[in-house]
């Protein structure tokens, strides 16, 4: 195709319009995520636990933002919500269980027997 045909491609112009739309949605979602982060932090300070419902919303919202970023950066042809279902809506049984600090373990790789030998 030559440049004139490329410029007349309606699919490209539609994608450009959707990029602008999803850019605005991304901006709003970014601030909502920060509000949820602050709420979750304050909730953890007060109660000592995480709010599971807020954690579910945060998980779905971050999945949605990832879908937007993949679409606008041409890494995916999948159009995010409202063109497709909201992330996480299909599997309602998915439960979020917060990880307690005592459950977090640092993992270090086990040395293999070959590591002791010289490579010379």
């Amino acid at each position: 195709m030559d440049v004139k045909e490329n410029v007349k491609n309606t699919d490209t112009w539609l994608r450009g319009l959707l990029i602008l739309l999803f850019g605005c949605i991304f901006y709003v979602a970014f601030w909502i995520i920060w509000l949820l982060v602050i709420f979750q932090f304050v909730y953890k300070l007060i109660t000592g636990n995480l709010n599971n419902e807020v954690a579910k919303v945060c998980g779905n919202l971050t999945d949605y933002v990832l879908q937007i970023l993949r679409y606008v950066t041409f890494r995916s042809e999948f159009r995010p919500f409202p063109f497709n279902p909201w992330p996480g809506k299909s599997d309602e049984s998915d439960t979020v269980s917060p990880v307690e600090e005592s459950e977090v373990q640092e993992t270090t790789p086990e040395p293999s027997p070959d590591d002791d030998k010289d490579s010379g």
Side-chain angles (χ1 to χ4, degrees):
M1 279 199 213
D2 68 349
V3 176
K4 289 181 182 179
E5 289 179 32
N6 290 339
V7 171
K8 292 180 182 178
N9 188 341
T10 57
D11 290 337
T12 304
W13 286 104
L14 176 61
R15 182 144 188 163
L17 182 64
L18 291 175
I19 287 172
L20 291 175
L21 171 71
F22 284 121
C24 294
I25 293 171
F26 174 82
Y27 181 77
V28 172
F30 174 82
W31 289 107
I32 292 172
I33 288 171
W34 272 110
L35 290 174
L36 291 171
V37 165
I38 293 166
F39 175 83
Q40 191 75 295
F41 179 76
V42 171
Y43 190 88
K44 172 87 174 163
L45 280 176
I46 294 170
T47 67
N49 298 314
L50 295 177
N51 184 312
N52 284 334
E53 293 303 314
V54 172
K56 283 184 195 178
V57 171
C58 286
N60 290 340
L61 193 55
T62 55
D63 289 344
Y64 181 58
V65 166
L66 179 60
Q67 287 178 359
I68 289 174
L69 290 174
R70 291 183 57 79
Y71 183 75
V72 301
T73 60
F74 293 86
R75 298 291 298 156
S76 172
E77 294 300 314
F78 179 82
R79 291 182 182 165
F81 180 84
F83 298 98
N84 283 296
W86 182 260
K89 188 174 185 176
S90 60
D91 51 326
E92 295 292 329
S93 62
D94 185 46
T95 57
V96 176
S97 59
V99 178
E100 296 296 325
E101 290 179 23
S102 61
E103 295 175 0
V104 176
Q105 300 174 358
E106 289 188 30
T107 58
T108 55
E110 293 291 323
S112 66
D114 296 334
D115 289 343
D116 295 334
K117 298 179 184 174
D118 289 329
S119 60

